[in-house]
Amino acid sequence: MDEFLCVVSAPFKQHATDRISIRDFEFALSFGLKWMSPENASKVRDTALALRLLEADENKLVPTFDIGKVEIPRGFRPSEKIFHERPLIEQIMAMIAACSGMDNRNVAALISRKQETLGDMVDIEIAALVVAREIGCDISRIYPKVLADMFPNME
């Protein structure tokens, strides 16, 4: 399972709820689980919202994926890499995994097959967007990032 999904799921699992306040989400990551600083917990929240893994509803955070499908391994502790900007393809894959409940390996296989079907004429990120669209994932928030990545000199 995607490491970032484990981190985002943990506060909900810890509180046994499907809605949690922003404060409690960040508190669980930083003080409850002792995984990160409060600043990094805020970064996780912001990234999860940007990737549409979480939605803000009033003052509560709500996962857009089934947290019951996320298994957090015993003794799990996130690595430092979750605080760095992830490559675009990893961001898209995380969104597809969250939407579909598939693991990253299956998502990668789907994307690879789609790219082959398209005759390897499109970048892997575009093939991933097609896969996401075909399985019904709303990933519209990432379109501007993909466009900026594909055409960096466009304004």
Side-chain angles (χ1 to χ4, degrees), residues 109-125:
L110 271 177
I111 293 168
S112 180
R113 279 196 301 273
K114 180 55 68 178
Q115 190 178 29
E116 287 174 18
T117 301
L118 296 171
D120 291 323
M121 295 175 58
V122 297
D123 290 333
I124 193 79
E125 293 85 0

Side-chain angles (χ1 to χ4, degrees), residues 6-63:
C6 288
V7 171
V8 172
S9 300
F12 296 95
K13 288 180 172 282
Q14 185 181 45
H15 288 271
T17 186
D18 61 354
R19 299 173 61 84
I20 193 169
S21 73
I22 293 169
R23 181 183 167 280
D24 287 344
F25 179 85
E26 293 176 6
F27 191 88
L29 291 174
S30 56
F31 299 108
L33 295 164
K34 298 179 181 163
W35 283 350
M36 61 195 69
S37 69
E39 295 80 22
N40 282 340
S42 294
K43 286 181 188 177
V44 167
R45 179 208 62 220
D46 292 343
T47 301
L49 286 166
L51 292 174
R52 285 193 126 158
L53 299 175
L54 295 177
E55 290 179 345
D57 183 26
E58 295 178 12
N59 235 359
K60 303 277 185 182
L61 295 174
V62 181

